[in-house]
Amino acid sequence: MDLTYAHRGKVESYCVPNFDSPSVFARILDKDKGGHFSIMPTVPFTVKQNYLPSSNKSRLSAQVLQTKFMNELGVASITDFLPRPSSSASATKPLLPWLIRRVECIRGTMPLMMQCAPAFNYALDTHSTEIVPDTSIPPLDLQPGTPTQNHQNKVVFTSSSGFVLDLRYITESTLDAACVPSIELGTLDLTSKGHKGLAAYSATQLTEGQAVTFVLRTPPEHEAPMTASATRTGTKAELERKLTLLGPLGVKPRTVHDPFLTKELLHSLLTITNRYWYEWIRQSTYTGSWKEAVHRSALALKLLIYEPTGAVVASPTFSLPEFIGGTRNWDYRASWIRDSSFTLYALIRLGFTQEANGGKDLEEIELLHLDGHKGSKPVRIGNGAADHVQLFGKPLSYDDWVLVRELVDYVVANYKEPDLSIWEVRNKKRHFTYSKIMLWVAIDRGLRLADKRSLPCPNRARWLAARDELYEEIMNKAWNREGQFFGQSYEDTDVLDSAVLIMPLVFFMHGSDPRFISSLKQILKSPERGGLTSNNLVYRYDVTKSEDGVGGEEGTFCLCTLWCVEALTRAGEYDKALLARSVSMFEDFLMYLNHVGLCTEEISDAGEALGNAVQGFTYDDFASF
């Protein structure tokens, strides 16, 4: 699932159950009718936000978000997380599709308003809203310390297409002197803002020691209940788990996908989730500088992996603009082979080897009924670039040498063809320099693999000839002799493109090569002087000079800035001034991370976050330093 939070306790983007599922909340793309799940004070407040530390002994952060609301009269915190089973139990325990939001008053009193306003299927579907008894809560008169009543309620949202969500809650007291808070659920009519069904709300005032946890989920369907005989054998831990499913004596048993909702279960899920992320990040072998930022990037990359298949999504968000008010608004909720290979490479370099273990239903559609993020239209889902040819080589595998040979043979047979580049231009195919470099990489790595493993290579001579011919071709046809830099393509050598910064990173050319140094220094110039660097951040290319078939403007590209940092580092082995520039550029870049250490795809000249977030491409280079 895809989940994006705003800074002030609002869930503004939520696609469930999968990354590319239609949105349930999309307020980030339309402030009125996009849908949201907010928990906020009804009085003036200030706010702080951070990720919880994974343990008392470590500063390593878990993927558990804490938001604190503060004023003179009180402090309340929201703890948001998606539950994870422990690493050892992941094969036997389900990955519960729950969004858990725990609200607790830490000091004084705090009046709060909860609103859950879904807008199903990109705000296209109508829905019904019902408040019904919650049978997943054990009878409250059997729970010590709670008022005696027959049941408590939950909210059920049902879209016109049949998709169902329910919103449940658990109340508790964390102090002996505090009573359990009372929660009343009601419906709220937001149709005047364009909503197509009623929202749910609850207004309450919490005092110190009172807490309520809201759980939004996709209810399980057609699960066979567990029988009492199933508890006769097993370990103590397993018996305790099964008793959680069975509940109090005389109450109908539940399934592993739909356990009784209790405060003990919620506490356990938070502890296990926190422990999961701690155990995962501690596998890192990284010991260099900026360790906290690198680990935050690794955690972001881990969240981009689709659990059932291991596929890596390029970005969990869609249609966030690359320029406010512009049209460069794309949907990256798919697995790009190119992006995935970079992500796995970054994770493997950091020591996360477990992560390295068809179809393309991506029709691009424009949702004209949505206003777009800050008025940036159109909102797009799907991506037309799925059908683009990008000749950067096919992914290599060590498992099947015959397949590897076929892949390299494919590259050798097609390396003279034009393509639509890493930047997925929308008008015409060209011989893009970056694509040619990556084709060279594919052939070169095939040859290296054959030599290193002493593998049979019937077409070795053809591979060698193609690799060397391609190298010479790039050096001659992509080189701008007058400007002394590598151009964007053979056809447009007068257009500068920061994608050529990849050269030393893939060992096409050493960072100290005079041609590369000259290209690097040209990129480091300001746009006004013919370069691509503004405020120590790097653009992809000058959109006023390069015809990409899209139109509009964009910000500096975070990936290109990080490529430039690494290129400067490699060139800095022989020129200490370039090494100092590398450190300066990277530390400047860190200032643009948000308050929880995350960055977006692009950054405007004014320092505003632009484009989709989290963009895996950015974190790939961040985590592979």
Side-chain angles (χ1 to χ4, degrees):
M1 64 181 70
D2 153 40
L3 177 64
T4 302
Y5 290 94
H7 187 38
R8 301 167 71 85
K10 298 178 181 177
V11 176
E12 296 199 325
S13 177
Y14 188 52
C15 299
V16 65
N18 302 322
F19 280 111
D20 59 349
S21 296
S23 63
V24 172
F25 306 127
R27 190 179 188 275
I28 199 169
L29 295 174
D30 192 306
K31 61 182 179 60
D32 291 324
K33 56 181 173 291
H36 64 276
F37 184 5
S38 63
I39 303 174
M40 293 175 59
T42 56
V43 294
F45 63 92
T46 58
V47 63
K48 298 287 184 182
Q49 201 169 52
N50 66 286
Y51 285 107
L52 290 181
S54 296
S55 74
N56 293 331
K57 299 180 181 179
S58 173
R59 292 185 63 197
L60 300 178
S61 296
Q63 298 298 73
V64 177
L65 185 67
Q66 178 178 256
T67 305
K68 281 193 174 181
F69 302 117
M70 298 167 282
N71 61 27
E72 293 182 354
L73 298 179
V75 176
S77 71
I78 303 177
T79 302
D80 288 302
F81 68 100
L82 303 170
R84 291 286 323 214
S86 65
S87 300
S88 59
S90 59
T92 57
K93 290 190 175 182
L95 193 63
L96 296 174
W98 296 5
L99 166 57
I100 300 177
R101 313 197 71 192
R102 173 184 168 82
V103 191
E104 181 177 358
C105 186
I106 306 300
R107 175 182 64 81
T109 63
M110 186 67 72
L112 295 157
M113 170 68 76
M114 182 281 297
Q115 288 187 10
C116 185
F120 291 95
N121 190 23
Y122 308 110
L124 288 169
D125 287 0
T126 60
H127 71 266
S128 63
T129 304
E130 297 179 280
I131 298 178
V132 300
D134 187 357
T135 59
S136 68
I137 307 291
L140 296 184
D141 57 351
L142 298 178
Q143 295 187 25
T146 59
T148 300
Q149 54 183 345
N150 292 328
H151 66 262
Q152 69 181 44
N153 291 329
K154 68 175 181 177
V155 183
V156 178
F157 303 100
T158 305
S159 75
S160 56
S161 59
F163 187 67
V164 179
L165 290 175
D166 69 11
L167 178 65
R168 304 175 293 164
Y169 69 90
I170 286 288
T171 55
E172 62 178 294
S173 169
T174 62
L175 297 176
D176 292 338
C179 62
V180 175
S182 176
I183 298 295
E184 293 292 333
L185 296 172
T187 59
L188 186 65
D189 188 352
L190 298 176
T191 55
S192 62
K193 293 188 174 183
H195 284 248
K196 297 189 174 183
L198 296 178
Y201 83 98
S202 179
T204 187
Q205 177 161 297
L206 297 182
T207 60
E208 182 177 351
Q210 291 185 326
V212 55
T213 302
F214 293 99
V215 179
L216 184 68
R217 65 165 185 171
T218 308
E221 297 179 4
H222 311 300
E223 291 285 347
M226 181 177 174
T227 62
S229 62
T231 64
R232 293 173 184 168
T233 61
T235 64
K236 179 180 179 181
E238 182 66 11
L239 288 174
E240 290 175 350
R241 181 182 72 86
K242 291 172 179 176
L243 288 172
T244 301
L245 302 176
L246 288 170
L249 185 64
V251 179
K252 183 179 178 180
R254 304 187 69 84
T255 72
V256 69
H257 295 282
D258 187 20
F260 279 105
L261 187 63
T262 65
K263 66 180 182 181
E264 291 80 14
L265 173 64
L266 295 175
H267 290 175
S268 175
L269 289 174
L270 177 57
T271 300
I272 293 171
T273 298
N274 215 29
R275 182 68 185 177
Y276 171 87
W277 289 112
Y278 171 69
E279 290 177 348
W280 187 82
I281 197 63
R282 71 194 294 263
Q283 298 174 62
S284 170
T285 56
Y286 182 79
T287 57
S289 303
W290 305 289
K291 186 174 182 179
E292 189 170 345
V294 170
H295 280 164
R296 172 51 55 200
S297 297
L299 286 163
L301 291 176
K302 173 65 173 174
L303 285 175
L304 296 179
I305 297 175
Y306 180 58
E307 191 83 7
T309 64
V312 182
V313 69
S315 176
T317 58
F318 63 97
S319 211
L320 294 180
E322 297 178 9
F323 187 84
I324 299 300
T327 60
R328 294 172 179 261
N329 316 319
W330 312 116
D331 185 355
Y332 294 146
R333 296 172 302 156
S335 184
W336 265 238
I337 294 175
R338 172 199 66 211
D339 297 37
S340 299
S341 64
F342 283 134
T343 297
L344 295 178
Y345 173 70
L347 290 173
I348 290 170
R349 284 193 64 180
L350 293 175
F352 302 106
T353 56
Q354 289 298 316
E355 276 62 37
N357 48 15
K360 54 176 184 178
D361 183 15
L362 296 173
E363 179 187 1
E364 187 169 290
I365 299 172
E366 296 183 356
L367 302 178
L368 301 179
H369 66 290
L370 294 177
D371 291 339
H373 180 72
K374 298 183 178 180
S376 305
K377 289 187 174 184
V379 170
R380 292 189 178 95
I381 58 172
N383 197 306
D387 294 315
H388 286 187
V389 175
Q390 297 180 33
L391 296 177
F392 50 82
K394 289 193 173 182
L396 302 177
S397 167
Y398 289 92
D399 298 327
D400 189 342
W401 175 237
V402 173
L403 175 59
V404 171
R405 291 193 318 214
E406 291 176 356
L407 294 172
V408 179
D409 283 339
Y410 172 86
V411 173
V412 170
N414 289 276
Y415 76 91
K416 293 183 179 293
E417 297 296 322
D419 77 336
L420 292 167
S421 92
I422 183 179
W423 305 134
E424 299 160 1
V425 300
R426 297 258 170 151
N427 51 2
K428 59 183 179 181
K429 295 181 180 180
R430 279 162 276 182
H431 296 278
F432 285 94
T433 305
Y434 176 91
S435 301
K436 299 300 182 182
I437 293 168
M438 298 309 287
L439 288 166
W440 178 91
V441 169
I443 302 171
D444 179 71
R445 299 311 189 266
L447 287 165
R448 291 192 192 192
L449 181 59
D451 291 341
K452 184 175 182 179
R453 303 289 184 182
S454 300
L455 295 168
C457 189
N459 295 325
R460 183 191 301 269
R462 287 184 57 214
W463 292 8
L464 279 167
R467 184 191 67 176
D468 293 348
E469 181 183 350
L470 187 51
Y471 195 99
E472 295 282 3
E473 181 181 284
I474 294 168
M475 299 302 287
N476 289 307
K477 293 186 177 182
W479 179 246
N480 184 315
R481 297 185 181 278
E482 181 180 350
Q484 293 292 291
F485 59 83
F486 288 102
Q488 184 180 60
S489 66
Y490 295 173
E491 295 85 353
D492 300 305
T493 57
D494 60 324
V495 176
L496 197 60
D497 190 328
S498 59
V500 302
L501 293 169
I502 200 73
M503 286 180 169
L505 281 57
V506 296
F507 307 110
F508 176 83
M509 175 180 287
H510 197 277
S512 64
D513 188 286
R515 288 197 180 193
F516 180 75
I517 292 290
S518 179
S519 299
L520 174 60
K521 289 183 176 179
Q522 184 65 31
I523 288 171
L524 289 171
K525 293 179 181 179
S526 67
E528 294 76 15
R529 297 177 56 233
L532 295 174
T533 303
S534 175
N535 198 25
N536 232 7
L537 302 172
V538 181
Y539 288 95
R540 294 190 298 175
Y541 49 85
D542 188 337
V543 295
T544 66
K545 295 180 180 179
S546 177
E547 296 182 16
D548 58 16
V550 179
E553 301 178 61
E554 65 179 25
T556 57
F557 210 74
C558 293
L559 171 66
C560 296
T561 300
L562 293 172
W563 274 348
C564 194
V565 168
E566 189 163 356
L568 283 165
T569 302
R570 299 192 183 216
E573 295 178 25
Y574 299 90
D575 185 339
K576 298 305 178 184
L578 294 178
L579 182 59
R581 179 67 186 274
S582 171
V583 174
S584 170
M585 180 175 281
F586 185 64
E587 292 190 334
D588 278 0
F589 175 79
L590 292 179
M591 295 194 309
Y592 293 97
L593 303 182
N594 70 8
H595 57 289
V596 290
L598 299 175
C599 63
T600 52
E601 181 182 11
E602 300 183 14
I603 299 170
S604 73
D605 284 341
E608 185 176 12
L610 297 172
N612 285 309
V614 171
Q615 182 80 359
F617 227 172
T618 302
Y619 291 97
D620 294 339
D621 210 58
F622 205 142
S624 63
F625 281 166

